[in-house]
Amino acid sequence: MRATTKTLQQSSTDTTTNNELNRRQFFWQLGMTAGAGLLATQSLAQSLSVATRDQKSATSLTKDELPLSELPTSAVEDNQLIGSTSKCIIPTIETRLFASSNVGGSNERNQLALERLACAGFEVHNPAITKRQYLRFAGTDAQRASDLQNIATGAIKAPKLLLGVRGGYGAIRLLPLIDWPTLGRVMHERGTILAGFSDVTAIQCALLAQGKMSSLAAPMLYSEFGKTTPDEVSCRQFVAALTNPNLRIDIQSAALTSAQLPTILATDDSQTLTGTIWGGNLSVVSALAGSKYLPNIDGGIVFLEDVGEQAYRIERMLYDLYLAGVFQRQQAIVFGSLSGTGEDSYDKRYDVAMVIRQLHKLTGLPIYSGMSFGHISKKHSFPLGARCEISPNALGGYGMSFTDYPVIDNKNMISVEGLWQV
């Protein structure tokens, strides 16, 4: 397969400019190679049509799917996007998937996402794992753990990118089955980037706690790239985090956490803090409290987000962490989106803002709100387990600057538009 891919790359260079192909040329040429198993026999337009029907017929959604970014029905029916063309590049970034949690609900949606990744330049080596299923999970515990354990043992070469398929539930069951210290060492030597969020937080926390390796809080295969209309901002920010070794994100509003909060809740809102940022989905982080899989970092910065949890449940999970001593040696807490919280049926005044103010009173830590990440559109991907500097900015909010994490050195290896092309 490797020789075939190189031949195809050389041929493409001779006949195109800047290694770019239009969509039809790209999939025709790639489909002629023996290694084209990652692409479906259906066209992108056919997959889009099926994925649209699948979304309309869905009766329930898991956390990693909220919110869905969909086209108006009329736009799809009028073929306003199906007739568009895209610029694809030959996939050269070694990529493997890991499916640690829920099974994907739609093969067509997975296939559409795989085609988009290929178009954008990611060479997925194990697309078949998207078809695994055991009960509600994307395979048995052993199968799902093997996606990562085989890299630790050397049975499979560590890729440049390890991309999560989706979240939901199930990753916590895998934690005792993986040699995290060895996996972290292998990934560090290769400069591997593990990307995901939601339930994948369990994997990311264990990797940092036991393997001393960073990861990327980022959208996933099924959850984002398989949507009828992937969010363009999330796609662009995903690529920015993959390729920029000095990523910076500025936050001007606390609204994603609570409109009733200031962006910085602190006795001194002019200070600059530097430490290792860690965390992820609050439900998962709190479930790891007291275990060896929760990072134990001095002077850290805790990041937390969640969706569909009422204010009292958010407070209960924060108290889990507080009573377990998790906040004692931390410098600050950063909240991303706390979406879909609803109202308290006993007293509407008891809301997320009150919960976070109570946390500030308990811990005495500065709390930064409104970070643009979570179960939302327009996500800003960022590294976990990396060095983070937080400081107030001139816009009345704060900025977060990240260093010391692996990246893809050549951003020209990625055609970001491919991630949302139809």
Side-chain angles (χ1 to χ4, degrees), residues 43 87 96 99 190 213 218 223 226 241 259 307 343 346 363 380 403:
S43 68
K87 292 290 186 179
R96 293 192 68 85
R190 176 67 173 88
M213 183 63 193
S223 311
V307 62
E343 295 181 342
Y346 290 95
T363 64
H380 283 59
T403 53

Side-chain angles (χ1 to χ4, degrees), residues 88-99:
C88 295
I89 62 175
I90 298 297
T92 56
I93 299 169
E94 290 182 90
T95 303
R96 293 192 68 85
L97 304 176
F98 67 96

